[in-house]
């Protein structure tokens, strides 16, 4: 059985998502909201970036064009979010997928919701920039 990447939960299929106009409006509306401190490409380990690209390609296709789009997406995420913020949000999403009573406090937490929202907003921006 193929081992699931810890970062694969962060990658979603772009082509089957929201209509582009709706996604653009959402990003523009949320674009004024503050996000985590600006990241740099240098603070993301190469393995983490590669892991994201592999998961993205698994969700969107296995060809050169998708490789470039996925690399663009992770570079955008790295330019906006610090690696620590990215790992926190990814961990939150994995924890929330477990569900149940144990995570109900996390689900209602404004702090945790903001962490996840920052990542989702950044991913939406990356979708618009890279998957056209």
């Amino acid at each position: 059985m193929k081992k699931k990447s810890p970062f694969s939960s962060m990658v979603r299929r772009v082509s089957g998502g929201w209509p582009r106009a709706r996604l653009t409006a959402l990003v523009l509306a949320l674009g004024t909201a503050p996000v985590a401190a600006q990241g740099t490409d240098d603070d993301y380990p190469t393995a983490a970036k590669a892991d994201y690209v592999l998961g993205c390609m698994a969700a969107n296709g296995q060809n050169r064009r998708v490789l470039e789009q996925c690399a663009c997406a992770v570079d955008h995420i790295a330019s906006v979010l610090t690696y620590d913020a990215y790992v926190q949000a990814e961990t939150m999403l994995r924890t929330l997928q477990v569900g149940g009573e144990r995570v109900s406090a996390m689900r209602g937490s404004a702090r945790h919701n903001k962490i996840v929202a920052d990542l989702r907003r950044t991913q939406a921006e990356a979708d618009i920039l890279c998957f056209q």
Side-chain angles (χ1 to χ4, degrees):
M1 185 170 162
K2 187 175 179 181
K3 183 178 176 187
K4 187 174 180 181
S5 163
F7 293 100
S8 62
S9 65
M10 297 297 298
V11 179
R12 65 188 182 288
R13 187 170 189 88
V14 175
S15 60
W18 291 356
R20 191 165 303 279
R22 186 173 167 196
L23 187 60
T24 302
L26 174 67
V27 169
L28 292 175
L30 295 174
T32 58
V35 293
Q38 294 291 310
T40 64
D41 288 341
D42 295 338
D43 68 347
Y44 275 64
T46 302
K49 287 177 132 185
D51 201 19
Y52 186 94
V53 170
L54 290 172
C56 177
M57 289 180 69
N60 295 294
Q62 303 286 326
N63 60 54
R64 179 70 184 178
R65 181 170 181 253
V66 173
L67 168 69
E68 291 171 3
Q69 291 169 326
C70 292
C72 170
V74 75
D75 286 343
H76 177 72
I77 292 167
S79 72
V80 175
L81 297 175
T82 64
Y83 182 65
D84 288 340
Y86 174 81
V87 170
Q88 273 187 329
E90 196 279 331
T91 303
M92 285 294 309
L93 287 174
R94 272 193 285 143
T95 304
L96 291 173
Q97 286 178 347
V98 172
E101 204 172 300
R102 292 180 182 173
V103 296
S104 62
M106 232 192 268
R107 190 170 280 118
S109 165
R111 178 179 167 263
H112 293 110
N113 290 339
K114 182 192 177 318
I115 291 168
V116 171
D118 287 345
L119 177 63
R120 288 188 174 150
R121 182 177 42 255
T122 304
Q123 283 184 315
E125 292 169 0
D127 289 353
I128 290 169
L129 292 171
C130 302
F131 287 89
Q132 294 184 11

